[in-house]
Amino acid sequence: MQEVAGSNPAVLTTRLNNMAEINIQLPDGVNKSFPIGTTVGEVIESIGAQNSAVGAKVNGNLADFFFEIDCDSEIEPIKINSEEGLYFIRHTAAHIMAEAVQSLYPEAKVTIGPVIDNGFYYDFEYSRGFTPEDLEKIENKMKEIVNQKKPLTRKTVSRDDAIGIFDKDGETYKVEIVNDLPSDEPITIYDQNGWYDLCRGPHAPSTGFVKAFKLLSSAGAYWRGDEKNAMLQRIYGTAFWDRKELKSYLNRLEEAKKRDHRKVGKELDLFSIQEDIGPGLVLWHPKGSRIRRVIEDFWREQHDRYGYELLYTPHIANIDLWKTSGHLEFYSENMYPRMEVDNTEYQIKPMNCPFHIMIYKTDIRSYRDLPLRWAEIGTVYRYERSGVLHGLLRVRGFSQDDAHIFCRPDQIEEEVLGVLNLTILFLKTFGFDDYEIYLSTRPEKFVGNVEVWDRATDALRNALDSKGLEYEVDEGGGAFYGPKIDLKIKDVLGRAWQCSTVQVDFNLPERFDMSFIGDDNARHQPIMIHRAIFGSMERFFGVLIEHYGGAFPLWLSPVQMRIATIADEHVEYGEKVYQVLKEKNMRVETDFRNEKLGFKVREAQLEKIPYLLVIGNNEMESGTVAPRKLGGKNLSSMTIEDFLNSIESELDPQTWREVD
């Protein structure tokens, strides 16, 4: 989120200069003088933009109409129907919701109500959860508040006054927040014509700006995200600048519910997570395992082509390994408790990296040996709080498509370019063409020297540029041990999912005293590049399920075709067709039940089987099959050989997308 200009005092009691007027550059490039302390709203009104703007950027920072400008500035109005305008609308909608809740349920205490991706939420201390009926009542009350077009005003108060105000109202959470604020931070209260809340802002000028909103759901949430604290009741909502955008978003939400991988995974019998096994631990069912096998086979085949060697490593290791790596010191809260065997402590692995390093250290490496590219689909275990577990997307045990490249500093760019080529190949193969890419650079605290950091960062940047990939630079967003590239894929609904990562690491090679012999016969420290394309098999599978809604392309589908007979007399021929297809390595099933064909067709459609091969008298007599494609398209009867020829491109992961 951008810095909010309104986080500074709205009214400065001490001016840093004695100028009576300030110079403000307007959007058309014209400079105009205003009295010092002029509000953003007054400037917006002076240019006639008060009906189309909801706020402004003052010197690049978000500010609402109440912000007073005390120095020469550049101002840019923020339109209501802009992405930044949504922030103002949604933040104001959160306050409107909180007022509605306290109007209907006076015993409810407010806590925090931030803007989040695609909406907002507010947490309340309330004796019971909010029901769908409650949400409907709250929504209706919100409409009343919106229609009243209540003006919002901001007031800066002292710490003591803020504590007194909220303590008087019994708002204990607000008192706690005020007490925790830094002593030099200004305290602002936004008043909604009688209902008020502690808030930094920014907000819309009035409640009337919130024209299209919807409350979506309610859930429990711990105060400040700590399960040791009180359980609160959270209400999620969303808001848009008009009803058309809201309707479009709600339609996408409905589609997302239909595609939810937990729902589809159960319907198609792909996987399960059972309390008897343990939360966050995935059981891959036969059909899900077939898809995983196809993914892994393709993964191994392409890694062979790209010069990787495959490794296998244990699930546990001596505790000393994790001390050396630093995981025990810096990552222990995400690791499971250690175990003791034969008076030696072991730790189940949260990562594969140290094992690959130890393989590197089994021999003296020369500069001629580098780069070494080692990959492993290795299962790791990380403790995640139960509240954040989410189907396949957030689990406790998962298999990373992990790889580590050990190279010389002069090889970084070439190796990163190779990783990007392989990553894009994989993503396109699985149907992803749209991604968001971020380059994260050196943070304030880092290991290694600046020269090596800059060289590595330039190598990442050059690799991205040479591929012609668009990316954003996250200045200072790198890990303390090296710069990185993060890639988020967008699914068919436009949702972004964190997926691929390329991370340069200067830390572990030093901690493990890794080296290679250079052409000068001296010891040098290699560069380590961590790389994952899918991130984890579980998470990527979950994204795939939602991307395709379970209707996987033919080459990836767990059941590629099903043979359906019309009557019992067709079963013998159906068996012969089945055997021919099995010999061709097709993933084929049979439906020889004494059921009506319409019933069999509907079942195959619900199970999202790409092809149903219908066999009746005509097919039996002519030695053919009548294919029916998922979606209802009937094809002409054809021989098995002709059918296989017709789907050849669909069976190839490299060409299936070229098929109409």
Side-chain angles (χ1 to χ4, degrees):
M1 189 182 72
Q2 290 177 278
E3 181 185 349
V4 177
S7 61
N8 295 321
V11 180
L12 299 178
T13 55
T14 303
R15 302 295 182 188
L16 298 178
N17 58 62
N18 296 318
M19 293 175 59
E21 291 190 333
I22 52 176
N23 185 57
I24 295 179
Q25 182 176 324
L26 302 173
D28 55 7
V30 173
N31 291 300
K32 189 175 179 181
S33 295
F34 289 86
I36 194 168
T38 296
T39 66
V40 166
E42 290 168 338
V43 176
I44 295 295
E45 187 174 1
S46 75
I47 60 175
Q50 66 272 22
N51 294 325
S52 61
V54 70
K57 282 184 180 178
V58 178
N59 298 324
N61 299 321
L62 296 182
D64 53 30
F65 279 23
F66 319 110
F67 180 70
E68 296 194 3
I69 309 170
D70 70 311
C71 62
D72 291 349
S73 301
E74 182 178 339
I75 190 167
E76 177 188 349
I78 293 175
K79 293 184 177 180
I80 298 171
N81 60 345
S82 68
E83 287 298 319
E84 290 168 323
L86 277 181
Y87 183 87
F88 290 78
I89 292 170
R90 288 170 176 168
H91 199 180
T92 305
H95 277 221
I96 293 170
M97 179 177 73
E99 179 183 350
V101 167
Q102 291 201 308
S103 174
L104 293 168
Y105 312 100
E107 68 273 27
K109 293 182 181 180
V110 292
T111 61
I112 58 171
V115 176
I116 57 175
D117 287 346
N118 297 317
F120 59 89
Y121 71 78
Y122 222 110
D123 287 346
F124 304 90
E125 183 188 85
Y126 185 53
S127 57
R128 63 175 178 83
F130 292 103
T131 65
E133 292 74 22
D134 291 331
L135 297 189
E136 186 176 351
K137 291 178 184 176
I138 296 166
E139 199 171 290
N140 288 332
K141 190 66 178 178
M142 290 175 68
K143 292 175 183 176
E144 291 180 21
I145 297 170
V146 168
N147 290 335
Q148 291 169 13
K149 297 182 180 180
K150 293 186 175 186
L152 277 81
T153 55
R154 184 179 64 186
K155 182 180 180 182
T156 302
V157 299
S158 69
R159 181 179 299 269
D160 288 343
D161 283 348
I163 291 173
I165 290 168
F166 291 110
D167 188 48
K168 178 183 176 183
D169 292 341
E171 296 287 4
T172 54
Y173 293 93
K174 294 298 180 181
V175 172
E176 182 179 332
I177 292 172
V178 172
N179 281 323
D180 289 345
L181 290 174
S183 58
D184 59 345
E185 182 166 343
I187 298 172
T188 54
I189 291 175
Y190 276 78
D191 189 330
Q192 210 158 272
N193 199 28
W195 185 90
Y196 51 86
D197 195 8
L198 177 74
C199 187
R200 293 190 179 98
H203 282 282
S206 80
T207 62
F209 278 72
V210 183
K211 301 182 185 300
F213 59 88
K214 180 70 177 176
L215 299 188
L216 302 173
S217 62
S218 61
Y222 292 108
W223 169 233
R224 291 185 162 173
D226 189 338
E227 55 195 14
K228 296 177 182 177
N229 290 337
M231 173 64 78
L232 305 174
Q233 303 303 322
R234 175 174 296 177
I235 299 177
Y236 288 98
T238 191
F240 286 86
W241 49 76
D242 62 30
R243 296 190 182 282
K244 181 181 177 182
E245 289 294 326
L246 176 62
K247 183 178 179 181
S248 176
Y249 176 72
L250 295 178
N251 287 339
R252 291 197 302 274
L253 276 187
E254 283 303 309
E255 184 61 29
K257 288 180 183 178
K258 295 176 187 176
R259 292 169 176 265
D260 189 311
H261 72 280
R262 295 165 297 181
K263 173 178 175 289
V264 175
K266 184 176 182 179
E267 291 171 349
L268 301 185
D269 194 24
L270 301 175
F271 72 93
S272 64
I273 298 173
Q274 303 176 27
E275 288 298 321
D276 289 345
I277 302 295
L281 302 174
V282 180
L283 299 174
W284 292 75
H285 293 201
K287 289 182 180 178
S289 296
R290 287 178 212 161
I291 298 176
R292 174 166 174 166
R293 188 183 71 226
V294 173
I295 295 172
E296 289 189 3
D297 287 348
F298 180 76
W299 185 91
R300 293 186 178 95
E301 175 188 323
Q302 296 305 318
H303 278 75
D304 283 342
R305 288 184 60 238
Y306 274 74
Y308 285 80
E309 297 285 350
L310 303 187
L311 306 179
Y312 297 91
T313 59
H315 288 240
I316 62 172
N318 189 302
I319 198 71
D320 291 338
L321 182 73
W322 309 108
K323 291 178 181 177
T324 303
S325 70
H327 285 96
L328 209 61
E329 182 179 359
F330 301 109
Y331 201 71
S332 59
E333 64 182 24
N334 295 103
M335 297 168 69
Y336 280 93
R338 64 190 72 176
M339 63 189 82
E340 186 173 317
V341 181
D342 296 334
N343 297 319
T344 301
E345 289 186 312
Y346 289 86
Q347 179 73 53
I348 193 167
K349 67 176 178 180
M351 296 183 185
N352 300 305
C353 333
F355 295 94
H356 295 195
I357 292 172
M358 297 307 291
I359 294 174
Y360 180 98
K361 287 174 63 69
T362 58
D363 202 352
I364 297 173
R365 309 291 176 177
S366 163
Y367 70 97
R368 295 188 182 92
D369 299 326
L370 305 182
L372 293 172
R373 306 183 191 103
W374 291 342
E376 174 183 15
I377 299 177
T379 302
V380 298
Y381 301 88
R382 299 178 188 174
Y383 173 70
E384 299 278 6
R385 289 181 300 178
S386 58
V388 302
L389 297 175
H390 182 74
L392 296 174
L393 305 179
R394 196 75 177 264
V395 294
R396 288 176 173 172
F398 55 94
S399 298
Q400 286 186 306
D401 68 316
D402 220 354
H404 298 96
I405 300 171
F406 303 101
C407 64
R408 306 188 305 266
D410 62 289
Q411 295 173 320
I412 296 175
E413 183 175 333
E414 183 180 356
E415 290 306 307
V416 170
L417 183 59
V419 171
L420 291 176
N421 287 334
L422 184 58
T423 299
I424 291 170
L425 166 68
F426 270 99
L427 298 183
K428 284 189 173 181
T429 297
F430 288 94
F432 300 103
D433 295 308
D434 193 6
Y435 3 90
E436 297 173 352
I437 302 175
Y438 302 88
L439 171 62
S440 300
T441 61
R442 185 178 69 248
E444 289 186 12
K445 295 182 179 180
F446 61 93
V447 297
N449 65 68
V450 172
E451 182 182 349
V452 177
W453 262 88
D454 289 346
R455 186 173 182 179
T457 305
D458 287 343
L460 297 182
R461 193 190 314 271
N462 292 341
L464 288 168
D465 290 340
S466 67
K467 287 294 296 178
L469 296 170
E470 294 184 5
Y471 59 92
E472 293 183 26
V473 178
D474 180 11
E475 294 289 354
F480 75 93
Y481 50 83
K484 64 176 180 173
I485 295 171
D486 286 321
L487 192 150
K488 294 182 178 180
I489 57 177
K490 288 191 175 181
D491 67 12
V492 70
L493 297 181
R495 298 172 299 177
W497 304 88
Q498 176 61 50
C499 187
S500 309
T501 300
V502 188
Q503 171 78 64
V504 179
D505 188 347
F506 309 125
N507 178 51
L508 286 180
E510 182 176 341
R511 294 184 73 99
F512 280 91
D513 192 27
M514 299 177 69
S515 67
F516 66 90
I517 305 301
D519 57 3
D520 58 357
N521 289 322
R523 291 176 76 248
H524 299 271
Q525 185 172 291
I527 300 296
M528 183 177 186
I529 300 174
H530 303 256
R531 185 239 68 187
I533 294 175
F534 299 142
S536 80
M537 286 295 174
E538 287 75 8
R539 181 177 175 80
F540 187 70
F541 187 38
V543 174
L544 274 180
I545 293 171
E546 300 206 4
H547 183 59
Y548 290 110
F552 300 103
L554 186 64
W555 73 276
L556 196 55
S557 183
V559 180
Q560 295 172 319
M561 55 205 68
R562 177 179 288 170
I563 303 165
T565 50
I566 293 177
D568 289 344
E569 58 263 32
H570 307 133
V571 171
E572 183 178 351
Y573 175 63
E575 289 282 8
K576 291 178 181 178
V577 173
Y578 174 78
Q579 290 303 324
V580 171
L581 293 173
K582 285 296 288 183
E583 288 172 7
K584 296 292 185 180
N585 294 319
M586 297 296 105
R587 296 189 288 278
V588 58
E589 290 183 348
T590 61
D591 188 349
F592 296 161
R593 294 174 298 170
N594 186 18
E595 297 283 357
K596 291 182 179 180
L597 180 61
F599 177 80
K600 296 181 180 183
V601 169
R602 284 193 298 274
E603 272 205 347
Q605 294 282 316
L606 289 173
E607 294 178 37
K608 304 186 188 301
I609 296 172
Y611 284 97
L612 185 69
L613 305 181
V614 179
I615 293 176
N617 288 334
N618 291 338
E619 289 73 34
M620 185 173 66
E621 291 169 4
S622 60
T624 60
V625 293
R628 180 185 177 92
K629 199 166 186 177
L630 181 63
K633 183 179 179 181
N634 289 314
L635 306 179
S636 301
S637 293
M638 61 184 77
T639 65
I640 300 173
E641 183 179 356
D642 286 343
F643 170 66
L644 291 174
N645 288 336
S646 73
I647 63 173
E648 185 176 358
S649 294
E650 292 183 71
L651 292 169
D652 187 340
Q654 304 290 352
T655 61
W656 71 272
R657 300 186 69 187
E658 301 169 10
V659 180
D660 290 334

